[in-house]
Amino acid sequence: MSHSFEFKFTGNIHVQSMDRQAGIFIGERNSAVGWSAHGKANNVIGGISGKSNLLYENVLILNDPDLIDTPIDDRDIHMSFENQVEEKTANLTFESVNVNTMQQNSLVSIGEGHVTGMDANEKINEPQGSIYGNGNISLGNYNVNNDQDVLDAIIDDRDIKIANVKKAE
């Protein structure tokens, strides 16, 4: 079996912001098996991107007194199989890749990609949230997040993840 693949990438990769479980795969064959990202984040304000953002006189209060906080059970089973590639020809030409914002479980894949098993379970307490862009203004806000749970963000993510990856001879 013959496999011909021509890949040309002559420019730049520009990424402004990536969140958890995000990826950029560029190439002839990209394989990602069994991605996992689990967690809990308490963020007051969160992320701010861009230029000239103004946060003025904000009062941010986050109170999260849980008795049990984010128990995670992530017993994954990962299986990856390689198969022979059938006869084919592929040509890819790119000058540049621009990514402004990639959120959780985001993917940019250029080329022959085999991405399986992505999962990202998460609990976030984020008064204010994320601010993206240019020239955003947030004035005189009062943000309160009071999360009075006894059990918080129970994540039971036991997966069987099977990947079928093509292999060139």
Side-chain angles (χ1 to χ4, degrees):
M1 293 184 199
S2 98
H3 179 78
S4 173
F5 191 93
E6 181 181 334
F7 181 78
K8 294 179 183 175
F9 187 80
T10 59
N12 298 313
I13 299 173
H14 299 280
V15 179
Q16 187 171 1
S17 174
M18 292 179 76
D19 208 333
R20 295 169 34 111
Q21 194 75 350
I24 297 175
F25 299 103
I26 298 175
E28 182 176 341
R29 278 186 297 279
N30 302 301
S31 298
V33 180
W35 290 30
S36 289
H38 308 282
K40 179 194 177 196
N42 287 333
N43 296 321
V44 177
I45 291 203
I48 299 171
S49 298
K51 297 179 181 178
S52 301
N53 295 305
L54 173 66
L55 297 163
Y56 182 71
E57 293 184 9
N58 292 310
V59 177
L60 305 160
I61 300 169
L62 193 147
N63 183 19
D64 188 21
D66 302 312
L67 294 177
I68 299 174
D69 199 2
T70 318
I72 299 171
D73 187 355
D74 183 32
R75 291 177 270 176
D76 295 337
I77 298 171
H78 306 278
M79 291 183 269
S80 179
F81 302 98
E82 290 186 359
N83 295 324
Q84 299 300 323
V85 171
E86 300 169 7
E87 186 174 324
K88 69 178 183 177
T89 301
N91 296 307
L92 292 173
T93 303
F94 287 90
E95 290 185 18
S96 65
V97 175
N98 294 308
V99 178
N100 288 329
T101 301
M102 292 181 70
Q103 296 296 320
Q104 182 169 311
N105 282 0
S106 299
L107 178 68
V108 174
S109 180
I110 299 172
E112 186 175 318
H114 305 280
V115 180
T116 61
M118 288 179 73
D119 61 36
N121 301 303
E122 172 176 274
K123 188 227 177 180
I124 297 175
N125 289 335
E126 196 173 43
Q128 184 67 44
S130 299
I131 299 173
Y132 298 105
N134 295 323
N136 297 308
I137 298 173
S138 179
L139 293 172
N141 293 326
Y142 177 76
N143 300 310
V144 175
N145 186 339
N146 187 8
D147 189 14
Q148 299 291 323
D149 301 320
V150 174
L151 294 174
D152 196 7
I154 300 170
I155 299 172
D156 187 358
D157 186 32
R158 292 176 267 182
D159 299 332
I160 297 174
K161 300 175 181 181
I162 301 172
N164 193 3
V165 179
K166 295 178 183 176
K167 177 181 154 184
E169 265 191 21

